[in-house]
Amino acid sequence: MGMTGAMDGADGGRGGHVADARSAAGADVADAADAGGYDVLTRIAGPSDVKALDRSGLHRLCAEIRSALLAYGHAHGGHIGSNLGMVEATVALHRVFDSPRDRIVFDVSHQSYVHKMLTGRAAAYLDPARFDEVTGFTNPDESEHDQFVLGHTGTSVSLACGLAKTRDMGRAASGPTDADRPDIDNVVAVIGDGSLSSGIAFEGLNNAAEQGGNLIIVFNDNEMSIAGDFGGMYGPLARLRASNGTAQPNIFNAFGLDYRYVADGNDVDALVAAFEEVKGIDHPVVVHIHTLKGAGFAAGADASDGASGHGGGRGTVRATDTGVNATGNVSHSEPWHSDHCNLSDHAPHEGQCEASHWQTPDKAIGRPEDPRKHYGKLAMAALERRFPTEPGLVVISPATPGSNGITHEFRERAGAHYVDCGITESHAVTYACGIARAGGTPVVATTASFFQRAYDQFFQEMSLNRSRVTVLDFLGGLSGSDNTHSGAYDVAMFANIPGVTMLMPTSREDYLEALTWATAPDGAVGAPDGPVVIRVPGEPILAAERAGEDLGRTAARDAAGQGAETADTAGRGSRDMLSYRVTRHGSKVAILGLGNAYPLAWRVAEALDRTDGIDATVVDPRQCTTLDMNLLESLRGGHKLVVTLEDGQLEGGWGEKVTAYYANHRTADTTGDRGDRNPRVINVGADKEFTDRIPLATLNERYGLTVEAVAARVREALRG
């Protein structure tokens, strides 16, 4: 799922509007391309300029765009492989259709870079000083040619159905010549790069066939998802490719849809002809184009196995006049998996290459692994050791495995213990519930924002049925992600579902201990009796661990008899796992730091001690679904102020529950010498808002999640 990507990093900077006018795209882009080589591209201010080119100019434009994408990938990074495969198709779309009157909806929209170049935003890909002017996805705030902000997968057909429905209703009501009719002609949905496997995509196809009317679905079949393709539909698709679109069964015909096939989806002339044939069509049609993901990367030159996955070895495949290697692998043998590369490898190549989904910029190559990969690999290693003796233990990834440290090598070794069910989060969670019901031990792993797509299943199949499912929640909390991939809402989502236990480990040891407890066999002493969500630690925790900061955790564990050596928690009770942990004993002020905010809590206490002589208590809550009332009660009397810190949405989050507890359980001070037994509570966390590629440090400043800001609020509260 292009769902991901941004999964590996922020794609661009703050978005800005770039007008579809020659003044914005022509002169500015020309200035950006002083090095030369972009003679045609620098003259493209909008789709009308694409239409004005002759055939040779059209081919030259494709070559220049491909060159620009390759340079952009090295300098900036991003979803380069999928865009390289869509160069000719996007040029052909704007050659034939009349955007924005003809509405083009890009699924996931991570493959819309070429579209942006052709609609007045080329400078953002040519000029390094302007790389951050546009987002990595479509965005109507940037251009009238972008229909929606999209970063999750499978929705383009449904959205296109909605656009077409309104168009057709308006025409029926006012007549085809009425000036007030909706300003929409053709509606085009561009789907593919794995997104067809999403359940909602099939719902859209089903509706499209029933609705009728003009609707053109361009299916970009590049034989890849983010990792490999998984699912029963890929066999019939391979047979369609091998038969030049004539084989049966044809899944699109089965829905009642018209169907056309373009064997060479990187031939701009063939694509122009195909799109001209369906422009203005009066019924839904699927145009199935076979493309080469990563087209333009050296064929096999960077592949770990020395071959490109599209035939031959290095340098043995034919090049066309646009520099695209021949797409001859139309009947790839089962299974339809990727080659042996990993995401995010710094050696992407053409074809079935996982590394080409998200290209790491050259300047970032060699940096330490991010928290998702680091802690993901730790979890997979711990689970893998159990596979020989636990036949029911299964790791489920709804696509995007490499982003979360589920490497190609692990998947191969895991065999039947690993399932990639495609971009189907709702199915993944429900599937896990079925495994649990049969006595298995399912672990579902993906990104926090993707789990939003399975909200109903978390309530019904998982929680209502008390299913023993373990959920690994990656990229939860604040991050510099784009607005479609932010995990700032995961606590508000998971922690308010009845019956869910959400653990917030703050160290490697606690994280692995949480995983062991959550996946303990049914009937084991102290095992949980329902689903467990584990927030995978983020950058603040990994940075502290890499710096060797213990932050009081070891001493607190040892004092409680829970040393790091106690990795096997099967014999421990829920009380031990769910109790808050005091890591620093003090008075007057208690600071509770949830999950990724725990290192901040410790540093605030150190700062208050150093500058104000305040000996604050520090608490690691460890979970956010129940309140440790014994611990909260123990803070009365000796503490005038309780501070909660969380790196997620404050409203509906965890800190407010602590405030509500003290507000609803006020007690009278009958001792006369113990101070106020109803401490004041301060909650610090994120606003309820969408943020788009804002650096984490900037977000922390905005929300007051810094040592200086929290310490200042403590001082102010104590003075009051």
Side-chain angles (χ1 to χ4, degrees), residues 431-449:
Y431 177 52
C433 294
I435 290 174
R437 177 66 174 172
T441 306
V443 178
V444 186
T446 197
T447 307
S449 65

Side-chain angles (χ1 to χ4, degrees), residues 338-705:
S338 65
D339 62 16
H340 292 273
C341 56
N342 277 305
L343 179 73
S344 196
D345 192 304
H346 66 272
H349 53 275
E350 293 177 335
Q352 293 174 298
C353 169
E354 189 171 335
S356 73
H357 181 76
W358 175 268
Q359 185 176 358
T360 301
D362 291 351
K363 63 180 179 294
I365 294 173
R367 289 181 183 173
E369 288 181 331
D370 63 28
R372 297 165 70 191
K373 291 186 177 63
H374 176 80
Y375 290 110
K377 288 180 179 179
L378 287 176
M380 295 308 110
L383 294 171
E384 185 176 355
R385 288 192 289 270
R386 297 164 52 183
F387 290 162
T389 58
E390 297 184 45
L393 181 57
V394 180
V395 176
I396 304 164
S397 177
T400 74
S403 301
N404 301 319
I406 306 175
T407 65
H408 185 277
E409 293 78 14
F410 166 82
R411 294 171 235 157
E412 291 296 307
R413 293 193 303 268
H417 290 275
Y418 171 75
V419 176
D420 184 325
C421 56
I423 305 170
T424 57
E425 292 84 358
S426 296
H427 164 70
V429 173
T430 310
Y431 177 52
C433 294
I435 290 174
R437 177 66 174 172
T441 306
V443 178
V444 186
T446 197
T447 307
S449 65
F450 299 162
F451 276 131
Q452 295 164 9
R453 295 159 60 90
Y455 198 45
D456 183 56
Q457 286 66 46
F458 285 126
F459 267 96
Q460 296 286 321
E461 287 76 14
M462 190 177 82
S463 299
L464 187 60
N465 285 278
R466 307 299 301 150
S467 300
R468 286 287 313 282
V469 174
T470 299
V471 174
L472 291 182
D473 170 33
F474 288 85
L475 200 61
L478 296 177
S479 72
S481 296
D482 69 275
N483 51 11
T484 72
H485 290 82
S486 172
Y489 326 107
D490 63 333
V491 169
M493 177 175 71
F494 285 121
N496 290 309
I497 300 175
V500 168
T501 297
M502 186 172 187
L503 303 180
M504 308 287 283
T506 61
S507 68
R508 175 185 186 276
E509 290 80 13
D510 286 349
Y511 170 62
L512 294 176
E513 185 179 43
L515 180 63
T516 302
W517 178 69
T519 58
D522 266 334
V525 177
D529 63 355
V532 177
V533 176
I534 302 173
R535 158 84 83 80
V536 177
E539 183 59 38
I541 294 171
L542 181 56
E545 293 199 299
R546 284 175 170 161
E549 300 177 71
D550 182 75
L551 308 181
R553 289 170 295 211
T554 299
R557 276 194 297 264
D558 291 344
Q562 300 171 7
E565 71 279 359
T566 353
D568 184 0
T569 61
R572 299 248 308 279
S574 296
R575 178 66 251 166
D576 295 314
M577 292 301 300
L578 304 183
S579 61
Y580 293 1
R581 178 188 293 145
V582 178
T583 58
R584 175 180 174 134
H585 293 272
S587 61
K588 191 179 292 188
V589 177
I591 308 172
L592 286 63
L594 183 69
N596 293 332
Y598 174 75
L600 174 61
W602 184 267
R603 291 173 189 133
V604 170
E606 289 184 317
L608 290 172
D609 189 16
R610 184 172 58 251
T611 61
D612 300 82
I614 297 173
D615 184 20
T617 295
V618 178
V619 178
D620 178 359
R622 305 172 67 208
Q623 51 91 6
C624 59
T625 39
T626 62
L627 294 175
D628 185 342
M629 291 180 286
N630 291 334
L631 185 284
L632 295 180
E633 285 297 321
S634 74
L635 299 178
R636 292 187 187 273
H639 298 82
K640 296 182 178 181
L641 181 67
V642 172
V643 181
T644 69
L645 309 177
E646 57 192 305
D647 76 324
Q649 183 174 302
L650 198 59
E651 187 174 333
W654 165 77
E656 291 182 341
K657 297 175 183 178
V658 176
T659 299
Y661 176 82
Y662 283 118
N664 293 320
H665 297 83
R666 296 183 65 82
T667 64
D669 180 8
T670 59
T671 64
D673 61 356
R674 296 185 64 186
D676 185 1
R677 291 188 54 77
N678 297 293
R680 177 181 175 184
V681 183
I682 293 175
N683 304 135
V684 185
D687 293 342
K688 185 171 68 175
E689 64 174 346
F690 292 114
T691 60
D692 187 18
R693 297 158 300 130
I694 299 173
L696 179 57
T698 303
L699 290 177
N700 286 334
E701 290 281 350
R702 174 185 296 185
Y703 302 135
L705 285 163

Side-chain angles (χ1 to χ4, degrees), residues 215-250:
L215 181 62
I216 300 161
I217 301 164
V218 178
F219 168 43
N220 171 28
D221 179 3
N222 60 16
E223 304 180 54
M224 271 293 291
S225 294
I226 291 165
D229 281 334
F230 291 86
M233 73 177 184
Y234 290 106
L237 288 176
R239 289 186 282 277
L240 278 171
R241 294 193 300 268
S243 66
N244 199 35
T246 63
Q248 293 293 333
N250 179 315

